Amino acid sequence: MNTNTKITLGAGCFWCVEAIYLRLDGVLDVKSGFSGGHIKCPTYTDICHGRTGHAEVCEIEFDSNIVTLEVILEIFWQIHDPTTLNRQGYDVGTHYRSVIFYHDMEQKEIAKHSMRLADSSGEFDNKIVTEISAWTNFYPADKEHDKYYDKNKEQPYCKLVVLPKIITFEKSRK
C-alpha cells in the first residue's frame, strides 16, 4: 500500500519552507514552485509582479506512516507568521501569502482543524489569515531554486533569514 502523499504549502519565501521540510523525517521530497494562479507556466519574474495570482509554495511529498499531515501542519504554523496578510518579514506581496493548497477533502478538513487549533492556541497576537484552497496547479520553479539553501548557505538572505528558521526548527524537534 502506497502511503506517499502530497500537500502544497506557502509560507513566504519557498527557500525557507523547503530548507525546513527537507530536514523532517518522513518527508521524501520538497519541490519549490508556484500554485494558485491564473496563467500557465509562470516564471519567478512573472509571479514577483503579483499579477498572476500565484503563491511561492513547496510541494511536499511525505510518507504518512512516518510523519502525519497534522505534524506537517503544526510545523507550518511555527515556521512563519500566519497572521500577516501577503507578507513574511521583508518579503511583501500576494505571492508571499500564507496558504495551504489541499489535494483532497480529507486534507481540507485536517487543514481547517489545524488552523482552528493554531488560532485558539494563544501563540499568535492576531487572527490567522492563512488561505485554505483546493490545489489546482503546481509549476516548478527554475532549477536554480532547487535545494537553494543547501547550495547557497553563504548567501546573505540564507544566513539572515533561512538559517535562523532552521535553527529554531531543529531546536523544537529535540
Side-chain angles (χ1 to χ4, degrees), residues 123-143:
E123 189 84 19
F124 305 105
D125 293 334
N126 298 308
K127 186 163 179 48
I128 290 176
V129 295
T130 300
E131 171 189 331
I132 298 177
S133 295
W135 180 93
T136 58
N137 55 42
F138 175 81
Y139 301 100
D142 297 335
K143 292 287 182 206

Side-chain angles (χ1 to χ4, degrees), residues 55-139:
E56 281 194 21
V57 297
C58 284
E59 187 174 76
I60 301 164
E61 182 180 0
F62 61 99
D63 183 334
S64 61
N65 280 334
I66 299 171
V67 63
T68 64
L69 179 57
E70 289 85 353
V71 168
I72 286 173
L73 292 174
E74 284 174 26
I75 293 165
F76 173 77
W77 302 119
Q78 295 168 8
I79 64 171
H80 78 298
D81 182 352
T83 69
T84 57
L85 186 63
N86 301 329
R87 95 175 287 143
Q88 289 299 308
Y90 295 111
D91 295 328
V92 179
T94 57
H95 54 291
Y96 291 120
R97 68 188 180 272
S98 175
V99 59
I100 299 169
F101 290 107
Y102 58 86
H103 290 242
D104 59 39
M105 294 311 286
E106 181 181 9
Q107 285 187 352
K108 177 182 180 181
E109 293 310 313
I110 291 170
K112 287 173 126 181
H113 178 72
S114 179
M115 187 164 86
R116 282 191 300 273
L117 289 175
D119 216 9
S120 64
S121 70
E123 189 84 19
F124 305 105
D125 293 334
N126 298 308
K127 186 163 179 48
I128 290 176
V129 295
T130 300
E131 171 189 331
I132 298 177
S133 295
W135 180 93
T136 58
N137 55 42
F138 175 81
Y139 301 100

Side-chain angles (χ1 to χ4, degrees), residues 18 30-32 141-149 151:
E18 177 191 65
V30 181
K31 291 186 176 89
S32 293
D142 297 335
K143 292 287 182 206
E144 69 191 67
H145 296 288
D146 288 344
K147 317 300 183 268
Y148 189 86
Y149 173 78
K151 293 188 280 188

